[in-house]
Amino acid sequence: QVLLVEAGGVLVQPGGSLRLSCAASGSIFRINAMGWYRQSSGKQRELVARISSGGIVTFADSVKGRFTISRADAKNTVYLQMNSLKPEDTAVYYCTMIRIGRDYWGQGTQVTVSS
């Protein structure tokens, strides 16, 4: 089993920055692809960013140039650095670990961008 715990979601003003963290624990013995998803009120969960086991990163068009995903493998932690935040970035952000047999998800952390 793998446990993912997100942290860092708070209320922030438009144009501000936040860094979300995802701490992974459990049966982890190798580098895995990981990603961040978000779900806004009334919408489906959508991919925000992902980082492959080889370090290749992918971003949703809506966040390109503003968000960065990174990984600290030794600490089993991934981050989502969010800059130039917009009200439309408001959502619950979820961390996921992508594995062949089973994907794992965190509980989510609320990010609210509002003045």
Side-chain angles (χ1 to χ4, degrees):
Q1 293 292 106
V2 174
L3 175 65
L4 304 175
V5 179
E6 303 98 332
V10 296
L11 172 66
V12 63
Q13 295 188 57
S17 297
L18 282 175
R19 189 176 77 162
L20 305 182
S21 65
C22 174
S25 62
S27 301
I28 306 169
F29 308 105
R30 67 188 75 248
I31 298 174
N32 298 277
M34 299 187 71
W36 288 92
Y37 285 71
R38 67 186 181 188
Q39 186 168 20
S40 300
S41 179
K43 292 189 173 183
Q44 294 292 110
R45 189 175 299 185
E46 64 176 350
L47 175 68
V48 177
R50 69 180 299 273
I51 181 166
S52 76
S53 60
I56 304 300
V57 299
T58 303
F59 299 96
D61 288 341
S62 59
V63 306
K64 284 181 179 177
R66 300 189 297 120
F67 290 13
T68 300
I69 186 171
S70 61
R71 177 170 56 208
D73 295 308
K75 298 180 180 180
N76 296 315
T77 302
V78 295
Y79 303 95
L80 184 68
Q81 178 67 46
M82 305 185 293
N83 301 317
S84 302
L85 284 162
K86 304 174 180 179
E88 47 264 47
D89 294 318
T90 296
V92 177
Y93 284 72
Y94 297 89
C95 176
T96 184
M97 179 179 289
I98 304 165
R99 309 219 294 194
I100 294 174
R102 176 179 177 178
D103 297 339
Y104 294 88
W105 294 84
Q107 83 289 347
T109 185
Q110 175 70 49
V111 173
T112 302
V113 184
S114 177
S115 59

